[in-house]
Amino acid sequence: MAESVYKLIEGGTSEVVVKKSRFLGITFPVETAEEAAERIAGIRRKYYDARHNCYAYRLVGAEKFSDDGEPSQTAGKPMLDVLAGAGLTGALVVVTRYFGGTLLGTGGLVRAYTEAAQEAVKHSKVMEIRPRRTVACTVQYSDLGRIQYLFREEGLEPSVDYREKILLTAEVPEEQVARLTEAITNATAGQAVLKIGDMYIG
């Protein structure tokens, strides 16, 4: 069964203080790398006097992070791991650091950036979404009733296009695709023509 994923729909904020260094976390829903870049630029303008503005984001099919001058792998990657661990997509997290005068070491930085990201995510609003595929099914007119019934058994209402034969189309959760297509094949003795689209998140 395909796992559900979670889409960020409203951002949250956090503040973590470690040895007088302040870590300000904020999350944003983003759909594209360009939108993420705009958000990051906005944070850099707002906190222009901060030592670091580190970030991580996950989109459908893409992810990126930056340590923004912190030691490699101590900020952006741990923050990306927070997003991945929460199953989030369409999400950007930025953590701004105001240096407090005391070096935290690599372990301390990882913990601080991780906590700031986790707290920002915790205060965000997310929505569960499931991977889907478009299933298109071409059948004879005589099969329409039983095929519509099979779709409805899965909680789906297909669109129906009346042509020389009938084309039924629906967006089907990934975990239901195999069961539905097998049922259609069995109900039509293999006569149905099935086309299954690529998986997408939505």
Side-chain angles (χ1 to χ4, degrees):
M1 180 179 293
E3 293 182 1
S4 293
V5 296
Y6 296 87
K7 185 174 184 177
L8 191 73
I9 57 173
E10 186 176 314
T13 60
S14 66
E15 180 173 354
V16 173
V17 179
V18 182
K19 295 181 180 178
K20 297 185 179 179
S21 277
R22 293 172 65 218
F23 296 84
L24 308 176
I26 186 166
T27 57
F28 298 97
V30 291
E31 297 294 336
T32 65
E34 291 75 18
E35 186 180 357
E38 288 176 9
R39 291 292 194 178
I40 294 161
I43 290 295
R44 285 178 171 154
R45 286 192 296 270
K46 181 177 181 180
Y47 298 115
Y48 65 91
D49 56 341
R51 179 71 68 91
H52 306 282
N53 288 288
C54 307
Y55 68 83
Y57 63 76
R58 296 185 81 225
L59 309 174
V60 176
E63 59 186 30
K64 187 177 180 181
F65 65 86
S66 170
D67 297 307
D68 193 34
E70 292 282 29
S72 178
Q73 306 287 306
T74 62
K77 182 60 165 63
M79 292 157 58
L80 183 65
D81 290 343
V82 169
L83 297 181
L88 279 171
T89 189
L92 163 70
V93 58
V94 184
V95 176
T96 298
R97 181 190 183 188
Y98 282 93
F99 185 55
T102 302
L103 296 175
L104 303 182
T106 56
L109 288 172
V110 169
R111 287 190 293 273
Y113 280 103
T114 297
E115 182 180 354
Q118 286 174 334
E119 287 299 310
V121 167
K122 188 184 298 183
H123 292 99
S124 304
K125 290 185 179 179
V126 301
M127 176 176 66
E128 184 177 7
I129 54 178
R130 291 186 290 174
R132 295 175 179 269
R133 293 181 190 267
T134 300
V135 174
C137 171
T138 302
V139 298
Q140 302 286 350
Y141 275 74
S142 57
D143 290 323
L144 175 60
R146 78 185 79 172
I147 301 307
Q148 283 182 312
Y149 173 79
L150 293 176
F151 274 97
R152 289 169 182 161
E153 280 283 284
E154 296 289 342
L156 304 166
E157 190 61 46
S159 65
V160 181
D161 188 0
Y162 296 91
R163 304 178 180 181
E164 183 178 341
K165 294 183 179 180
I166 294 181
L167 174 66
L168 298 95
T169 307
E171 308 306 311
V172 183
E174 171 69 9
E175 68 269 20
Q176 296 173 241
V177 170
R179 184 170 61 237
L180 174 64
T181 55
E182 182 180 3
I184 291 171
T185 299
N186 291 339
T188 62
Q191 296 304 301
V193 177
L194 288 160
K195 291 186 178 179
I196 302 169
D198 292 336
M199 189 169 67
Y200 69 94
I201 304 296

